[in-house]
Amino acid sequence: MRGAVRCAVLAAAVFAVLCGHADVGDPLERWRRFTRTPGASALLGWMRCAASRELGGGCRAGRIPKTPPVFGRLGLFVTVLRGREVRGCYGAFDHGSGDLADLLREYLKGALRHDVRHSPVELQELEQVRLVITIAGRPEQTDDLDGVDLSTRGLLIGTDEGGEMVFVPAEVRTVEQIRRSLGDRAITQLSAFRAVTIQEKRGSP
């Protein structure tokens, strides 16, 4: 999948990762409104069924619920959390497909199986994790890491090692967590992006 990245991990060369006031025509605002509808719960149910099937379970996901569009304008990331621990995260700002169901399956598979920070999620672990979908606006450059509201914005960070790291709000709560993840790497480019989060309640601490 062109453009896919592991969240908060130095992206391999093959994976090219890629704010303002929201108005009525803002595609991200359409997703924000969607989170307050029954469709959001239906989408998470579809995701859980797709996760079970990916891991060898017997669930058969039907048709994806109707949602606002993503392709061409918004980033998309899938995160798997166990309590506060990230078990996997995968996604992109630019996509090789306009089919949301295909994108979610691809990024869900990446989060479950291909985040190199963690061992793959097992089927028996699925009931202990919660699934998170992040819809992302375009990154905009900033020079104030401490001034970013991490509850509503994610970060795209370039480092002196030549890689890029993506942090979505579901992954981090404090700037200190980001600095620990960076380790000895220096920030060479810092961008923030607006984010809408859709997440399950199960597995919450």
Side-chain angles (χ1 to χ4, degrees):
M1 179 64 66
R2 180 173 61 85
V5 295
R6 303 170 186 88
C7 311
V9 177
L10 284 174
V14 69
F15 296 117
V17 300
L18 281 107
C19 291
H21 180 71
D23 58 36
V24 175
D26 182 353
L28 199 60
E29 184 61 22
R30 294 180 64 184
W31 274 98
R32 197 178 309 282
R33 293 197 297 267
F34 176 77
T35 66
R36 300 190 288 270
T37 70
S41 296
L43 180 60
L44 289 169
W46 181 90
M47 284 283 288
R48 177 150 291 272
C49 189
S52 176
R53 186 167 180 82
E54 174 63 35
L55 297 178
C59 189
R60 296 182 63 87
R63 186 181 298 274
I64 192 170
K66 183 176 177 59
T67 72
V70 168
F71 183 70
R73 303 194 65 181
L74 298 172
L76 178 66
F77 297 87
V78 174
T79 308
V80 180
L81 295 173
R82 182 170 179 175
R84 295 185 180 181
E85 176 192 2
V86 177
R87 287 293 283 112
C89 185
Y90 213 82
F93 288 104
D94 293 296
H95 319 288
S97 169
D99 188 299
L100 181 59
D102 287 346
L103 291 177
L104 285 172
R105 288 190 194 97
E106 183 71 16
Y107 298 158
L108 178 61
K109 180 179 180 179
L112 291 169
R113 297 183 179 276
H114 300 307
D115 187 332
V116 296
R117 296 170 298 175
H118 309 287
S119 60
V121 176
E122 302 291 342
L123 178 61
Q124 60 268 26
E125 187 184 356
L126 192 57
E127 287 302 313
Q128 302 169 35
V129 304
R130 72 181 187 272
L131 305 176
V132 183
I133 303 168
T134 301
I135 311 298
R138 287 289 164 178
E140 294 189 353
Q141 189 170 348
T142 181
D143 58 4
D144 184 11
L145 177 60
D146 293 292
V148 176
D149 182 356
L150 297 177
S151 67
T152 61
R153 294 179 185 262
L155 292 169
L156 174 62
I157 299 176
T159 73
D160 58 352
E161 291 186 352
E164 291 180 313
M165 304 175 76
V166 175
F167 296 88
V168 298
E171 282 194 275
V172 294
R173 301 188 180 190
T174 66
V175 171
E176 287 68 29
Q177 287 178 273
I178 294 172
R179 291 197 169 106
R180 286 197 298 269
S181 295
L182 286 168
D184 295 330
R185 294 183 288 269
I187 297 175
T188 58
Q189 183 175 355
L190 177 64
S191 297
F193 55 88
R194 294 164 53 217
V196 172
T197 302
I198 305 172
Q199 62 180 310
E200 295 180 308
K201 301 302 182 184
R202 71 178 71 205
S204 301

